[in-house]
Amino acid sequence: MSSLWWVPSLVVFGTTALIVVGIVVAVRARRRTAIASGRIADPRPESIEQLEVRAGQALVHADEAVRRGTEEHAFAAAQFGAAATSAFTAALENARGRLSEAFELRQRLSDVTPDTDADRRSWSARILEACTELEAALEQQTTTFVDKRSQERNAPDRLAALRTVRAQINERIPDAEARLARLTKLYAAQAFADQRDAVSTARAQLAVAADEIKRADAAASTADPAVPSLKKAESACNAAASALDSLARAEERLAAADAELRSTIAEAERGLTEAAELRDASGIPEAAERIAAAMVELRAVLDTVTSAAGPQAPLHTIDTVRSAQATLDDALASARSAQRRIDNAREALSGALFSAHSHLDSTREFISANRGRVGADARTRLAEAERQLALADAAADPVEAVDIARRTARLAQDAGDLARYDAGPRTAPLMRGR
């Protein structure tokens, strides 16, 4: 027998092994593809951290979907009427409710209270489910009305309307420049930092709109579609108008803050007078010392405020005075009767609510203007601040309402700081110690 009798067997076994390896590789590749596409479940469980990251990303997408849905709903209602858009209205309200619930779950995951792994996984899964479902519902409604408008759209008429709108916005530029000059003269830069580029932003967006109108005009006379350019021009006009509107609201807000600051200072002076009486009448030395120390702090703040020269940031100053007042209120708690505490809380409530609303409005506008760059944490803080403000409005106890309103203001400021950090160095907040 030949000494090479084993060669044919080796060839057979080797060929068989290669075939088996090829089959295994192909099966594994198809399995990975099926897992990636979602056709079968991945046997490896997703980590809690990965699940929370996906939930945060879903929140951002869902928040933007609600904002886009709100804009689309407004267009649809204006064109087709309330009756034709009733289903869209219901879907949008449901989406807002589910988004609010999702933000509340995210707040639970973000707060300082330790959570079990089961709760973290359950809450993140509920966030993902809510966000996925509300996005699908809004997408369905949006698609319906986009299709309707596309069937009825008259490009030449829309183009003429756009030219008129752009011209009207452009006519607002001189007033906006004068408004910006007034703000620069009257207030510190940090008081309207989010609006300091409003005029330049409006000019840039109007330039974009002009270019897109030219493209749409050229396309209207050819076989090319004009709608994409019309949409870009409309978006640019909306952005320009929004920047100018935000600047106007900032001036109104700062004028109101000036008046509120004067009221705050007067209220603080009255508080110091009352505190002196309670300090002298207190039979507890420790309480009297604590009241005296808080009075010194508030007096120093008021002296600094009243002697300050140059442009100021009134809302920031109000917060500084209110903070010192809160310290004095805490010191007076042991020496003040329950009824007196309630009376003082009622007096302080309007100021606390003013600060809460002002910070919320400012942060809400910033996130809206930078929606593509702001992440889930800032949006979660904003949603929690809005929820807390509703609690403050509903609170029957004025002492509790004041505490909630102050907490709302802090949450709104935190949301603003996080949003500006997400948006980048150009919009990062100035230090508050000024």
Side-chain angles (χ1 to χ4, degrees):
M1 181 182 292
S2 170
S3 60
L4 299 178
W5 61 269
W6 47 271
V7 171
S9 298
L10 179 61
V11 171
V12 171
F13 287 134
T15 303
T16 303
L18 288 173
I19 293 172
V20 170
V21 170
I23 293 173
V24 170
V25 170
V27 169
R28 288 179 176 175
R30 286 195 296 271
R31 184 175 180 80
R32 285 196 298 270
T33 302
I35 290 173
S37 64
R39 293 197 300 273
I40 64 173
D42 191 339
R44 297 167 299 180
E46 185 178 30
S47 71
I48 294 176
E49 290 75 16
Q50 291 172 326
L51 187 60
E52 288 180 349
V53 168
R54 285 206 300 124
Q57 293 170 341
L59 259 179
V60 173
H61 295 155
D63 193 29
E64 289 306 312
V66 170
R67 293 179 189 277
R68 290 193 301 271
T70 300
E71 294 174 352
E72 192 62 37
H73 176 267
F75 293 141
Q79 185 170 2
F80 300 107
T85 55
S86 59
F88 200 165
T89 303
L92 188 58
E93 288 301 316
N94 180 66
R96 287 172 178 152
R98 300 207 68 183
L99 182 63
S100 178
E101 293 170 3
F103 271 125
E104 187 171 348
L105 289 172
R106 177 71 178 192
Q107 177 64 29
R108 293 188 199 176
L109 291 169
S110 303
D111 61 24
V112 297
T113 304
D115 304 314
T116 65
D117 287 350
D119 282 340
R120 291 172 62 192
R121 189 174 289 279
S122 172
W123 294 342
S124 295
R126 286 168 60 187
I127 290 172
L128 282 168
E129 179 183 6
C131 292
T132 300
E133 291 178 358
L134 76 86
E135 281 197 74
L138 291 178
E139 180 64 23
Q140 179 182 359
Q141 293 294 330
T142 298
T143 300
T144 298
F145 286 97
V146 166
D147 291 341
K148 284 185 178 182
R149 280 200 307 277
S150 66
Q151 294 169 7
E152 301 177 13
R153 188 172 288 126
N154 186 322
D157 290 345
R158 192 172 172 186
L159 187 58
L162 259 175
R163 287 195 178 98
T164 300
V165 169
R166 185 191 174 281
Q168 291 172 344
I169 298 172
N170 192 55
E171 289 174 357
R172 297 173 57 188
I173 293 292
D175 286 343
E177 289 176 326
R179 179 174 286 114
L180 188 59
R182 287 195 299 273
L183 292 178
T184 303
K185 181 179 179 181
L186 293 173
Y187 302 106
Q190 73 180 96
F192 58 99
D194 296 340
Q195 291 79 33
R196 68 184 185 274
D197 296 329
V199 174
S200 59
T201 297
R203 287 186 182 279
Q205 291 297 326
L206 288 175
V208 171
D211 290 342
E212 295 300 335
I213 286 173
K214 289 180 182 178
R215 291 190 181 94
D217 194 19
S221 60
T222 66
D224 294 333
V227 170
S229 291
L230 289 174
K231 291 178 68 175
K232 291 177 182 178
E234 288 173 343
S235 178
C237 285
N238 287 337
S242 178
L244 298 182
D245 291 342
S246 180
L247 181 62
R249 285 192 295 268
E251 185 175 39
E252 293 173 359
R253 191 161 53 240
L254 287 170
D258 277 335
E260 181 66 18
L261 178 56
R262 291 191 292 271
S263 175
T264 299
I265 292 173
E267 178 188 330
E269 293 287 359
R270 291 194 298 271
L272 283 172
T273 301
E274 179 193 355
E277 295 173 356
L278 291 174
R279 175 200 60 196
D280 296 341
S282 176
I284 305 173
E286 292 83 358
E289 290 176 3
R290 187 180 175 194
I291 292 171
M295 288 176 63
V296 169
E297 179 184 344
L298 179 55
R299 180 76 267 165
V301 169
L302 291 175
D303 289 344
T304 299
V305 169
T306 55
S307 64
Q312 303 296 312
L315 188 56
H316 171 75
T317 304
I318 289 172
D319 292 338
T320 303
V321 176
R322 294 286 184 200
S323 178
Q325 279 184 290
T327 301
L328 181 57
D329 286 343
D330 290 342
L332 292 171
S334 60
R336 184 182 281 153
S337 68
Q339 186 58 48
R340 181 64 64 82
R341 287 190 68 206
I342 291 174
D343 291 342
N344 280 281
R346 287 197 180 101
E347 293 178 5
L349 182 57
S350 63
L353 287 173
F354 176 87
S355 293
H357 278 287
S358 295
H359 284 299
L360 265 174
D361 289 344
S362 178
T363 297
R364 193 183 294 114
E365 286 186 1
F366 182 84
I367 290 178
S368 179
N370 296 272
R371 59 179 61 173
R373 297 184 290 169
V374 176
D377 288 339
R379 296 164 190 261
T380 299
R381 294 289 196 287
L382 178 62
E384 179 62 11
E386 291 173 334
R387 190 179 74 85
Q388 290 289 334
L389 183 59
L391 294 177
D393 289 334
D397 180 0
V399 176
E400 179 186 6
V402 168
D403 289 340
I404 298 174
R406 288 169 177 166
R407 183 161 62 248
T408 298
R410 290 194 297 271
L411 279 167
Q413 290 180 78
D414 290 343
D417 289 348
L418 286 169
R420 291 177 180 84
Y421 179 84
D422 288 345
R426 189 180 68 82
T427 57
L430 300 176
M431 296 300 292
R432 292 185 186 166
R434 187 179 185 277

